[in-house]
Amino acid sequence: EVQLLESGGGLVQPGGSLRLSCAASGFTFSSHAMSWVRQAPGKGLEWVSAISGGAGSTCYADSVKGRFTISRDNSKNTLYLQMNRLRAEDTAVYYCAQDKNDIAGATGFDYWGQGTLVTVSS
Amino acid sequence: QSALTQPASVSGSPGQSITISCTGTSSDVGGYNYVSWYQQHPGKAPKVMIYDVSNRPSGVSNRFSGSKSGNTASLTISGLQAEDEGDYYCSSYTSSSTLVFGGGTKVTVL
Protein backbone atom coordinates (compact mmCIF):
# COMPACT_ATOMS: atom_id res chain seq x y z
CA GLU A 1 0.00 0.00 0.00
CA VAL A 2 1.37 3.38 -1.02
CA GLN A 3 1.74 5.78 1.88
CA LEU A 4 2.93 9.37 1.89
CA LEU A 5 3.34 11.07 5.25
CA GLU A 6 4.16 14.77 5.41
CA SER A 7 5.66 16.49 8.42
CA GLY A 8 7.36 19.74 9.36
CA GLY A 9 4.48 22.18 9.08
CA GLY A 10 3.75 24.81 11.69
CA LEU A 11 3.61 28.50 12.48
CA VAL A 12 6.43 30.67 11.18
CA GLN A 13 6.93 34.42 10.98
CA PRO A 14 7.09 36.26 7.66
CA GLY A 15 10.61 36.06 6.30
CA GLY A 16 11.27 32.84 8.16
CA SER A 17 12.13 29.35 6.95
CA LEU A 18 10.64 25.89 7.27
CA ARG A 19 11.56 22.46 5.94
CA LEU A 20 8.85 19.98 5.03
CA SER A 21 9.44 16.24 4.74
CA CYS A 22 7.42 13.50 3.08
CA ALA A 23 8.16 9.89 4.03
CA ALA A 24 7.17 7.46 1.29
CA SER A 25 6.51 3.73 1.44
CA GLY A 26 4.82 0.99 -0.53
CA PHE A 27 6.42 1.70 -3.91
CA THR A 28 9.81 2.07 -5.58
CA PHE A 29 10.45 5.67 -4.59
CA SER A 30 13.27 6.35 -7.03
CA SER A 31 11.11 5.33 -10.00
CA HIS A 32 8.66 8.16 -9.62
CA ALA A 33 8.86 11.91 -9.92
CA MET A 34 7.41 13.62 -6.87
CA SER A 35 5.71 16.96 -6.40
CA TRP A 36 4.56 19.36 -3.73
CA VAL A 37 1.09 20.83 -4.14
CA ARG A 38 -0.46 23.40 -1.81
CA GLN A 39 -3.93 24.59 -0.98
CA ALA A 40 -4.55 27.88 0.77
CA PRO A 41 -7.50 27.93 3.19
CA GLY A 42 -10.73 27.83 1.22
CA LYS A 43 -8.89 27.99 -2.11
CA GLY A 44 -8.00 25.64 -4.94
CA LEU A 45 -4.98 23.47 -5.59
CA GLU A 46 -1.69 25.03 -6.65
CA TRP A 47 1.24 23.00 -7.92
CA VAL A 48 4.46 24.14 -6.24
CA SER A 49 7.41 22.06 -7.36
CA ALA A 50 8.48 18.74 -8.86
CA ILE A 51 11.61 16.59 -8.83
CA SER A 52 12.49 13.64 -11.05
CA GLY A 53 13.09 10.18 -9.64
CA GLY A 54 16.84 10.48 -9.77
CA ALA A 55 16.76 14.08 -8.54
CA GLY A 56 18.46 15.29 -11.71
CA SER A 57 15.61 17.57 -12.73
CA THR A 58 13.63 20.06 -10.69
CA CYS A 59 11.03 22.69 -11.56
CA TYR A 60 9.09 25.31 -9.68
CA ALA A 61 6.02 27.47 -9.92
CA ASP A 62 6.87 31.12 -10.52
CA SER A 63 5.32 32.02 -7.15
CA VAL A 64 8.03 30.12 -5.25
CA LYS A 65 11.01 30.17 -7.61
CA GLY A 66 14.12 31.40 -5.87
CA ARG A 67 12.62 30.90 -2.39
CA PHE A 68 11.76 27.18 -2.24
CA THR A 69 14.03 24.21 -2.95
CA ILE A 70 12.83 20.68 -3.58
CA SER A 71 15.08 17.70 -2.93
CA ARG A 72 14.87 13.99 -2.23
CA ASP A 73 16.92 11.27 -0.53
CA ASN A 74 16.17 8.02 -2.31
CA SER A 75 18.12 6.05 0.30
CA LYS A 76 15.62 7.26 2.89
CA ASN A 77 12.54 7.30 0.62
CA THR A 78 11.98 10.89 1.65
CA LEU A 79 11.01 14.04 -0.23
CA TYR A 80 11.81 17.52 1.09
CA LEU A 81 10.76 21.11 0.54
CA GLN A 82 12.97 23.83 1.97
CA MET A 83 10.96 27.03 2.18
CA ASN A 84 12.79 30.31 2.74
CA ARG A 85 11.67 33.96 2.85
CA LEU A 86 8.16 32.85 3.66
CA ARG A 87 5.25 35.20 3.03
CA ALA A 88 1.71 35.34 4.34
CA GLU A 89 0.48 34.10 0.96
CA ASP A 90 2.43 30.87 1.42
CA THR A 91 -0.02 29.88 4.16
CA ALA A 92 -1.55 26.61 3.00
CA VAL A 93 -1.82 22.89 3.46
CA TYR A 94 1.12 21.35 1.65
CA TYR A 95 0.65 17.94 0.07
CA CYS A 96 3.30 15.67 -1.36
CA ALA A 97 2.14 13.68 -4.36
CA GLN A 98 3.51 10.74 -6.34
CA ASP A 99 3.66 11.26 -10.07
CA LYS A 100 2.71 8.25 -12.13
CA ASN A 101 5.65 8.95 -14.43
CA ASP A 102 9.31 9.87 -14.08
CA ILE A 103 9.91 12.65 -16.57
CA ALA A 104 11.04 16.23 -16.16
CA GLY A 105 8.17 18.09 -14.61
CA ALA A 106 4.84 16.81 -13.36
CA THR A 107 2.26 14.90 -15.37
CA GLY A 108 -0.36 13.96 -12.78
CA PHE A 109 -0.61 12.25 -9.45
CA ASP A 110 -1.57 8.74 -8.43
CA TYR A 111 -1.25 9.20 -4.68
CA TRP A 112 -1.36 12.09 -2.24
CA GLY A 113 -0.35 12.48 1.38
CA GLN A 114 -2.75 13.89 3.97
CA GLY A 115 -0.99 17.24 4.02
CA THR A 116 0.76 19.43 6.56
CA LEU A 117 -0.37 22.95 7.44
CA VAL A 118 2.03 25.86 7.11
CA THR A 119 0.92 29.15 8.63
CA VAL A 120 2.95 32.28 7.99
CA SER A 121 1.96 34.97 10.43
CA SER A 122 3.44 37.37 12.94
CA GLN B 1 1.19 29.95 -16.07
CA SER B 2 -2.52 30.77 -15.84
CA ALA B 3 -4.90 28.36 -14.18
CA LEU B 4 -7.10 26.21 -16.37
CA THR B 5 -10.70 27.40 -16.59
CA GLN B 6 -13.43 25.37 -14.92
CA PRO B 7 -17.01 26.32 -14.06
CA ALA B 8 -17.32 27.30 -10.41
CA SER B 9 -20.24 24.96 -9.82
CA VAL B 10 -22.27 22.23 -11.46
CA SER B 11 -25.32 20.51 -10.05
CA GLY B 12 -27.58 17.64 -10.93
CA SER B 13 -30.22 15.32 -9.54
CA PRO B 14 -29.46 11.76 -8.50
CA GLY B 15 -29.22 9.51 -11.53
CA GLN B 16 -28.52 12.35 -13.95
CA SER B 17 -25.29 12.96 -15.83
CA ILE B 18 -23.18 16.07 -15.49
CA THR B 19 -20.12 17.28 -17.36
CA ILE B 20 -17.35 19.52 -16.06
CA SER B 21 -15.21 21.35 -18.60
CA CYS B 22 -11.57 22.33 -18.26
CA THR B 23 -10.25 24.82 -20.80
CA GLY B 24 -6.60 25.59 -21.36
CA THR B 25 -4.38 26.37 -24.31
CA SER B 26 -2.29 24.57 -26.88
CA SER B 27 0.60 24.84 -24.42
CA ASP B 28 -1.10 22.63 -21.88
CA VAL B 29 -4.41 20.78 -22.35
CA GLY B 30 -4.33 20.92 -26.13
CA GLY B 31 -0.70 19.94 -26.45
CA TYR B 32 -0.43 16.89 -24.23
CA ASN B 33 -2.46 13.90 -23.12
CA TYR B 34 -1.48 14.46 -19.50
CA VAL B 35 -4.81 15.69 -18.23
CA SER B 36 -5.98 14.38 -14.86
CA TRP B 37 -9.10 14.90 -12.78
CA TYR B 38 -9.23 14.85 -8.97
CA GLN B 39 -12.07 14.66 -6.50
CA GLN B 40 -11.71 16.31 -3.11
CA HIS B 41 -14.02 16.06 -0.15
CA PRO B 42 -13.85 18.65 2.66
CA GLY B 43 -10.80 18.23 4.83
CA LYS B 44 -9.46 15.38 2.72
CA ALA B 45 -6.64 14.95 0.26
CA PRO B 46 -7.49 14.91 -3.45
CA LYS B 47 -8.10 11.56 -5.13
CA VAL B 48 -7.37 10.87 -8.78
CA MET B 49 -10.46 9.93 -10.79
CA ILE B 50 -9.11 10.14 -14.35
CA TYR B 51 -5.54 10.28 -15.65
CA ASP B 52 -4.05 10.74 -19.12
CA VAL B 53 -7.32 12.30 -20.39
CA SER B 54 -9.52 9.23 -20.25
CA ASN B 55 -7.97 6.48 -18.13
CA ARG B 56 -9.66 5.40 -14.94
CA PRO B 57 -7.57 4.07 -12.04
CA SER B 58 -8.57 0.73 -10.60
CA GLY B 59 -11.19 1.17 -7.93
CA VAL B 60 -12.76 4.26 -9.50
CA SER B 61 -16.36 3.79 -10.59
CA ASN B 62 -16.99 3.47 -14.32
CA ARG B 63 -19.55 6.23 -13.89
CA PHE B 64 -16.59 8.60 -14.26
CA SER B 65 -15.23 9.22 -17.74
CA GLY B 66 -12.90 11.73 -19.35
CA SER B 67 -12.35 13.11 -22.81
CA LYS B 68 -10.61 15.94 -24.64
CA SER B 69 -11.29 18.02 -27.72
CA GLY B 70 -8.78 20.66 -28.72
CA ASN B 71 -7.88 22.79 -25.71
CA THR B 72 -10.81 21.61 -23.60
CA ALA B 73 -10.97 18.49 -21.46
CA SER B 74 -14.14 17.18 -19.88
CA LEU B 75 -15.13 14.99 -16.97
CA THR B 76 -18.53 13.31 -17.12
CA ILE B 77 -20.20 11.74 -14.12
CA SER B 78 -23.12 9.54 -15.07
CA GLY B 79 -25.73 8.15 -12.71
CA LEU B 80 -24.98 10.93 -10.22
CA GLN B 81 -24.94 9.80 -6.59
CA ALA B 82 -24.89 11.69 -3.30
CA GLU B 83 -21.31 10.54 -2.63
CA ASP B 84 -20.18 12.33 -5.79
CA GLU B 85 -20.62 15.70 -4.10
CA GLY B 86 -17.36 17.53 -3.64
CA ASP B 87 -14.82 19.65 -5.41
CA TYR B 88 -13.29 18.54 -8.69
CA TYR B 89 -10.04 19.79 -10.16
CA CYS B 90 -8.43 19.20 -13.52
CA SER B 91 -4.69 19.40 -14.11
CA SER B 92 -2.44 19.40 -17.12
CA TYR B 93 1.23 19.11 -17.93
CA THR B 94 2.54 22.24 -19.65
CA SER B 95 5.13 23.12 -22.27
CA SER B 96 7.29 24.55 -19.47
CA SER B 97 7.42 21.08 -17.85
CA THR B 98 5.29 22.42 -15.02
CA LEU B 99 1.79 21.44 -14.02
CA VAL B 100 -1.26 23.67 -13.86
CA PHE B 101 -4.56 23.06 -12.07
CA GLY B 102 -8.00 24.32 -12.87
CA GLY B 103 -9.71 26.60 -10.39
CA GLY B 104 -12.00 23.80 -9.21
CA THR B 105 -15.68 22.97 -9.63
CA LYS B 106 -18.08 22.36 -6.78
CA VAL B 107 -20.45 19.52 -7.62
CA THR B 108 -23.80 19.52 -5.84
CA VAL B 109 -26.27 16.65 -5.91
CA LEU B 110 -29.74 18.17 -5.62
Side-chain angles (χ1 to χ4, degrees):
Chain A
E1 178 192 7
V2 172
Q3 291 194 344
L4 299 170
L5 184 60
E6 303 94 338
S7 61
L11 176 64
V12 60
Q13 291 188 338
S17 297
L18 212 55
R19 188 199 199 199
L20 305 183
S21 299
C22 171
S25 61
F27 65 102
T28 305
F29 186 63
S30 60
S31 295
H32 291 265
M34 297 291 294
S35 277
W36 288 97
V37 176
R38 69 184 181 184
Q39 187 170 34
K43 303 297 184 181
L45 301 173
E46 179 188 14
W47 173 81
V48 172
S49 181
I51 186 168
S52 60
S57 174
T58 60
C59 49
Y60 300 90
D62 288 343
S63 58
V64 306
K65 200 173 294 183
R67 299 187 300 122
F68 290 11
T69 301
I70 192 171
S71 62
R72 64 192 296 163
D73 185 336
N74 286 344
S75 69
K76 296 182 178 179
N77 288 355
T78 302
L79 174 72
Y80 303 101
L81 185 67
Q82 178 66 44
M83 303 185 295
N84 298 331
R85 304 197 325 259
L86 283 161
R87 307 166 179 167
E89 54 264 37
D90 294 319
T91 294
V93 173
Y94 285 73
Y95 296 100
C96 68
Q98 179 214 62
D99 202 302
K100 59 187 181 316
N101 295 307
D102 182 21
I103 67 171
T107 62
F109 311 119
D110 282 342
Y111 295 97
W112 299 64
Q114 285 307 300
T116 186
L117 177 62
V118 172
T119 303
V120 184
S121 175
S122 55
Chain B
Q1 182 73 46
S2 299
L4 305 175
T5 300
Q6 297 181 232
S9 63
V10 173
S11 62
S13 300
Q16 286 187 330
S17 293
I18 61 170
T19 297
I20 304 169
S21 60
C22 171
T23 302
T25 69
S26 58
S27 295
D28 39 63
V29 174
Y32 307 93
N33 286 326
Y34 288 135
V35 175
S36 295
W37 289 91
Y38 306 92
Q39 176 193 65
Q40 187 179 34
H41 290 131
K44 300 295 187 181
K47 172 189 174 184
V48 62
M49 307 304 282
I50 295 289
Y51 67 93
D52 295 351
V53 177
S54 59
N55 293 296
R56 199 171 46 247
S58 60
V60 172
S61 170
N62 59 10
R63 298 184 298 103
F64 292 83
S65 62
S67 63
K68 188 182 81 168
S69 177
N71 297 337
T72 298
S74 299
L75 173 72
T76 297
I77 309 174
S78 59
L80 199 61
Q81 299 180 1
E83 68 216 46
D84 299 331
E85 275 204 348
D87 295 323
Y88 289 79
Y89 296 90
C90 61
S91 73
S92 175
Y93 180 77
T94 81
S95 58
S96 302
S97 298
T98 59
L99 183 134
V100 62
F101 283 101
T105 299
K106 183 177 182 63
V107 169
T108 301
V109 180
L110 302 172

